[in-house]
Amino acid sequence: MARFYVLSVEPDLFEGAALTRNWGRIGTKGRFRIDLFGSRLEAERRLVALVRSKVKRGYRRPAEAG
């Protein structure tokens, strides 16, 4: 089954950071979740942990543009 998982870290309105996740089957809108953190560093650490977890489950990183 073809699936996607998209992660990004963005600033929030209160000097913290938000980790946004979007996942599901390719061709669908999928699900969406936002996790809030006190700092960008905390959010980036969680992002790295999630990437490692997803790669172990068979997800592949996209090819770099350029």
Side-chain angles (χ1 to χ4, degrees):
M1 180 179 333
R3 296 183 167 269
F4 68 92
Y5 208 99
V6 179
L7 298 165
S8 67
V9 174
E10 303 169 16
D12 70 6
L13 298 175
F14 306 104
E15 298 183 18
L19 172 61
T20 61
R21 305 189 227 180
N22 181 228
W23 72 94
R25 288 184 182 179
I26 292 176
T28 68
K29 184 174 125 179
R31 296 184 63 183
F32 190 78
R33 178 176 171 166
I34 299 173
D35 295 315
L36 300 175
F37 294 87
S39 72
R40 183 171 183 90
L41 182 60
E42 291 176 68
E44 288 175 349
R45 284 182 179 155
R46 180 67 177 136
L47 180 140
V48 169
L50 284 166
V51 168
R52 285 183 184 144
S53 168
K54 299 305 172 188
V55 167
K56 283 182 183 178
R57 293 192 65 200
Y59 285 86
R60 290 178 277 159
R61 293 180 184 183
E64 291 187 23

